C-alpha cells in the first residue's frame, strides 16, 4: 500500500508507514452496480449463455472465440455501468476511450497514467523499456465501445449498461477485425488467432501474443463459472484447437529483470543510497538471497494509489520499496528491486528478509474496478515463476497478503496493513497458480480450509464509500467469525488490534474477526450449520452450511503446547536465542504478541523455520552477516495473520480423520498422535532475518 512522503526514513522503521486513504475520480471508481442483465425480470439464468450464442451466430464468429475473449477480459462479469481502471465496460470489456481516466495511451503500450513522460525522482530513472514505447508497431485499435456501438447500430450508453448489447458489440468488433485482415469468417477458432491478438489493442507484440495464448488456452480447456451477477455460463473444452501463431521476436529486456519468458516486463530501479550525514538511508537493503537467507514467502499487496504515484514513490530514497509493480489495466509488470535484495514492503523486517513483495495497482474497496483479470493472470505467472525459482510452496502460509503478515512486535499490531482485503479472489488466484485450493480430507475432519464460493458468498461490509457506508454486495474470500454459533453473537475481538477492548466491526479494513480463503484451522466443535475453530486463542464460530459450505475438510499437521505448559507465547518473528548474538550487536527486544496459546488448543502449521537476525542499522555496500540461532520455530495460522511459536514449546499432531460434534469438549477435540517436534517433523528451511 502507498506510504506518504516524508523528509527521511528512520532506520528502525525500514520504510514502513501507515497509508492514508486515496480518493480517486468517480469516473474510475464508480460503485459496482449489480443490476440485472437486459430482458424481462425473472428470465432464465441462461440469458448470458444465450447472448454469447446469439451474437456468435449473428456475426459469424465462433462461439468459443467470443466467449473465451470475454472470459479473459472479464471472466464474463458485467458490472453494468461501472468501468474498469482501463475504462472498459461489460463482459467484452469495451473501452470508452473518451473517459478522461481511460488510458488510451496504455492501449498502445504506453505506461498507465502517463508514467512514461513523468520525470524521474531521485537518482534512479526508468530504462527505455520502462517507458512502454513499443519497438514493433502492432497497428491496431482497442476494443472501442463507440465503434462497437456503430457496428450494431445501438446507443453507446446501452453497451455500457446492457450485457447483451455489450456482447453483440464485442462479436461485431471481432468480425470487423477478421474482415480487415482479409480473412474469412471461418467457423474454425484456429483461424482467428491474429484477430484475437488485436482485440485488447496493445501494440506490444509480447503482450498481444500472451493475450492470444490465454484466450486459446480457455478454448482448449473450457470454463464454467457463476458470474458476479448470478449468471451460470459454460464453455465446453475444445482440446484439439491449435492455431498457428505468428512467430514474434522476444523484445530485449534490461539485464536486471527477473520475469518469466513471454511476459511483458521492464525495470524501474528503486534507489539504494544514503540520505543524510546521520546514516539514514533508503529504500531497501543489500542482501545475497538465497545464499544468506532462504526466500520463504511471496507477499501480495495492493497499492491503494494509482500506479503513477507508486512509481514516483518507489524511486524516492526516503520512501518504501517493493520488488514488482503490476498494472491493473493490462497486467504489465515493472521490477524495482532485485530478488536477491531485501525490499521494505511488509511492515516486518523479519518477513522482508525472506520474502518478495508484489504491489498490484488497486483499491481494496473497489475490487471489480481494479482487480482485473489481466492483472490476476499476469501476477500468477510471475508468482509461479518466482515460486519455482526459489522453492516457495504454493500454499496460503507461503503465498499470502499484506493483511496476513505477522506484526513483528505487540506495539506495531494496530499499524499493520489490511490489503489486498476481503475482495481479493484467493480461490481464483490459486487456480491460476496451478495449485487449486480444495478439500484434502472428509467433511468431518479435524482441520478445515476456509473456502467459500467467491461469486455466491457476499458477506456485508461497510466503509467502501466512507466510514459506516455499506459496501455494494460483492463476492468475497472472507468468512466472519463469532463468539457463539449465531449471526447475532458478537464478533471475535482482537486485543492486539484494539487493545482498549473495542469490538470488531464489519468495516472492510477491520480484519480482527475474519478468516480468508485458503487459510487452514483446527476444528474444535460443530453445531448444525456452524463450525468452531481455534483463532487467536479463542473458539471462533462461522456459518458453514452443507448446501453452501464456506470451508472444506483438510489434512495436515497442527501444533499444541507441550504437556505441563498452561500456555505458551506467540511471536511475530523468529529471533535467535540471546547467546547467539555477537558482543557488538545489540539484541532486539523479543516482544511476544498480546495473545496466549493455551493448553489443549491447536493451530495448523505448514513449515518449521530457523531463527535468525540481521543487523541492518547502517548503509553498506555489501550484505550484513546473518546471525543464526539454534532455536527453531513453527509458523502457524494463528488468526487472520500468521504467527510463530518456539519448536521447544510445542508438540506436533496429525489431524484426525474426524473432529468433534456438538457435544465435543473444546479442550480435547481433535487430539491426534504426537509426532517429533524436531527438524524431521517438517520441512527444514533456511533462516530468515529480523
Amino acid at each position: 500500500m502507498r506510504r506518504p512522503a516524508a523528509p527521511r526514513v528512520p532506520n528502525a522503521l525500514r520504510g514502513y508507514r501507515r497509508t492514508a486513504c486515496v480518493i480517486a475520480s468517480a469516473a474510475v471508481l464508480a460503485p459496482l452496480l449489480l443490476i440485472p442483465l437486459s430482458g424481462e425480470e425473472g428470465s432464465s439464468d441462461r440469458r448470458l449463455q444465450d447472448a454469447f450464442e446469439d451474437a456468435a451466430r449473428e456475426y459469424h464468429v465462433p462461439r468459443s472465440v467470443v466467449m473465451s475473449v470475454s472470459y479473459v477480459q472479464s471472466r464474463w462479469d458485467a458490472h453494468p455501468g461501472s468501468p474498469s481502471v482501463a475504462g472498459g465496460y461489460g463482459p467484452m470489456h469495451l473501452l470508452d476511450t473518451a473517459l478522461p481516466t481511460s488510458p488510451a495511451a496504455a492501449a498502445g503500450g504506453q505506461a498507465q497514467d502517463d508514467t512514461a513522460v513523468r520525470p524521474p525522482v531521485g537518482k534512479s530513472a526508468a530504462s527505455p523499456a520502462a517507458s512502454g514505447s513499443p519497438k514493433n508497431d502492432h497497428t491496431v485499435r482497442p476494443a472501442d465501445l463507440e465503434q462497437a456501438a456503430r457496428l450494431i447500430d445501438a446507443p453507446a450508453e446501452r453497451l455500457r449498461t446492457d450485457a447483451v448489447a455489450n456482447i453483440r458489440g464485442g462479436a461485431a468488433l471481432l468480425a470487423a477485425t477478421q474482415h480487415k485482415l482479409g480473412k474469412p469468417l471461418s467457423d474454425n477458432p484456429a483461424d482467428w488467432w491474429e484477430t484475437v491478438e488485436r482485440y485488447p489493442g496493445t501494440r506490444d507484440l509480447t503482450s498481444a501474443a500472451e493475450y492470444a495464448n490465454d484466450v486459446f488456452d480457455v478454448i482448449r480447456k473450457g470454463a464454467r463459472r457463476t458470474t458476479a451477477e448470478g449468471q451460470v455460463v459454460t464453455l465446453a473444452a475444445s482440446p484439439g484447437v491449435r492455431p498457428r501463431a505468428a512467430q514474434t521476436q522476444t523484445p530485449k529486456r534490461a539485464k536486471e529483470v527477473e520475469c518469466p519468458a513471454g511476459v511483458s516486463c521492464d525495470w524501474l530501479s528503486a534507489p539504494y543510497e544514503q540520505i543524510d550525514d546521520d546514516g539514514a538511508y533508503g529504500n531497501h537493503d543489500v542482501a545475497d538471497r538465497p545464499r544468506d537467507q532462504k526466500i520463504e514467502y511471496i507477499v501480495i499487496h495492493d497499492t491503494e494509489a494509482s500506479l503513477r504515484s507508486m512509481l514516483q514513490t518507489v524511486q524516492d530514497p526516503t520512501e518504501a520499496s517493493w520488488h514488482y509493480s503490476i498494472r491493473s489495466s493490462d497486467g504489465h509488470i515493472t521490477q524495482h528491486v532485485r530478488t536477491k535484495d531485501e525490499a521494505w514492503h511488509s511492515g516486518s523486517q523479519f518477513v522482508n528478509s525472506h520474502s518478495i513483495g508484489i504491489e498490484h495497482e488497486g483499491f481494496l474497496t473497489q475490487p471489480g474496478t481494479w482487480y482485473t483479470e489481466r492483472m490476476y493472470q499476469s501476477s500468477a505467472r510471475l508468482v509461479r515463476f518466482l515460486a519455482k525459482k526459489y522453492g516457495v510452496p504454493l500454499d496460503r502460509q507461503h503465498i499470502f497478503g499484506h493483511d496476513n503478515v505477522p506484526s513483528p512486535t505487540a506495539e506495531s499490531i494496530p499499524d499493520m496493513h489490511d490489503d489486498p482485503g476481503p475482495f481479493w479472489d484467493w480461490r481464483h488466484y490459486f487456480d491460476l497458480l496451478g495449485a487449486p485450493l480444495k478439500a484434502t480430507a472428509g467433511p468431518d475432519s479435524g482441520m478445515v480450509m476456509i473456502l467459500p464460493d467467491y461469486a455466491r458468498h457476499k458477506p456485508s461490509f461497510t466503509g467502501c464509500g466512507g466510514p459506516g457506508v455499506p459496501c455494494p454486495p460483492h463476492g468475497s474470500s472472507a468468512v466472519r467469525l463469532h463468539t457463539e454459533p449465531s449471526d447475532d453473537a458478537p464478533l471475535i475481538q482482537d486485543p492486539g488490534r484494539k487493545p482498549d477492548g473495542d469490538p470488531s466491526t464489519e468495516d472492510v479494513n477491520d480484519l480482527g474477526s475474519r478468516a480468508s480463503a485458503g487459510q487452514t484451522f483446527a476444528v474444535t466443535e460443530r453445531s448444525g450449520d456452524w463450525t468452531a475453530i481455534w483463532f487467536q486463542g479463542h473458539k471462533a464460530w462461522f456459518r458453514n452450511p452443507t448446501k453452501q459450505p464456506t470451508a472444506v475438510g483438510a489434512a495436515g499437521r497442527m501444533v499444541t503446547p507441550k504437556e505441563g505448559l498452561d500456555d505458551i507465547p506467540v511471536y511475530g518473528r523468529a529471533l535467535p536465542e540471546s547467546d547467539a548474538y555477537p558482543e557488538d550487536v545489540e539484541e532486539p527486544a523479543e516482544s511476544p504478541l498480546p495473545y496466549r496459546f493455551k493448553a489443549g488448543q491447536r493451530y495448523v502449521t505448514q513449515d518449521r523455520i530457523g531463527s535468525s537476525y540481521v543487523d541492518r542499522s547502517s548503509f553498506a555496500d555489501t550484505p550484513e552477516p546473518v546471525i543464526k540461532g539454534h532455536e527453531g520455530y513453527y509458523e502457524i495460522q494463528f488468526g487472520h495473520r500468521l504467527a510463530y511459536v518456539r519448536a521447544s514449546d510445542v508438540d506436533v499432531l496429525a489431524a484426525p480423520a474426524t473432529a468433534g460434534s456438538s457435544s465435543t469438549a473444546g479442550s480435547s477435540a481433535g487430539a491426534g498422535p504426537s509426532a517429533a517436534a524436531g527438524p524431521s517433523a517438517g520441512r527444514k528451511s533456511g533462516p530468515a532475518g529480523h
Side-chain angles (χ1 to χ4, degrees), residues 132-290:
S133 299
K135 296 183 179 179
N136 299 296
D137 188 4
H138 201 217
T139 306
V140 290
R141 295 183 62 182
D144 186 272
L145 184 141
E146 294 285 348
Q147 183 189 7
R150 289 192 295 271
L151 288 172
I152 68 169
D153 193 23
E157 181 60 26
R158 186 175 176 190
L159 276 69
R160 295 186 185 97
T161 58
D162 184 328
V164 174
N166 187 277
I167 292 169
R168 289 184 66 229
L173 284 173
L174 288 166
T177 303
Q178 185 81 343
H179 177 75
K180 185 176 181 180
L181 291 172
K183 296 179 177 294
L185 299 181
S186 167
D187 59 1
N188 182 359
D191 295 335
W192 290 74
W193 172 273
E194 291 180 64
T195 289
V196 169
E197 269 193 314
R198 285 159 172 74
Y199 187 86
T202 179
R203 294 191 311 238
D204 177 76
L205 296 181
T206 300
S207 296
E210 178 187 344
Y211 176 85
N213 277 324
D214 288 342
V215 169
F216 278 88
D217 192 51
V218 175
I219 291 175
R220 285 188 290 270
K221 294 179 180 178
R224 177 181 173 85
R225 182 169 182 263
T226 301
T227 70
E229 293 77 32
Q231 293 283 305
V232 178
V233 185
T234 302
L235 173 64
S238 300
V241 175
R242 301 287 172 183
R244 287 183 288 182
Q247 296 297 316
T248 59
Q249 185 177 1
T250 302
K252 187 177 180 180
R253 289 173 169 173
K255 64 180 180 180
E256 297 90 350
V257 167
E258 302 163 273
C259 281
V263 172
S264 181
C265 192
D266 59 40
W267 174 261
L268 180 63
S269 179
Y272 178 67
E273 59 188 54
Q274 190 164 332
I275 297 171
D276 57 31
D277 295 335
D278 295 331
Y281 69 95
N283 62 3
H284 58 279
D285 284 300
V286 174
D288 191 23
R289 307 183 309 176

Side-chain angles (χ1 to χ4, degrees), residues 425-501:
D425 191 345
W426 286 109
R427 188 172 192 163
H428 176 51
Y429 192 61
F430 271 78
D431 284 344
L432 294 174
L433 288 175
L437 302 174
K438 59 185 180 181
T440 54
D444 295 326
S445 60
M447 284 167 44
V448 289
M449 175 186 289
I450 304 298
L451 199 61
D453 182 329
Y454 183 89
R456 299 170 62 193
H457 179 66
K458 299 178 180 180
S460 58
F461 286 100
T462 63
C464 287
V469 177
C471 297
H474 196 281
S476 175
S477 293
V479 170
R480 194 159 281 123
L481 304 171
H482 297 262
T483 58
E484 298 291 340
S486 168
D487 290 320
D488 297 327
L491 299 174
I492 293 294
Q493 201 272 339
D494 186 343
R497 192 175 180 89
K498 297 184 177 182
D500 294 332

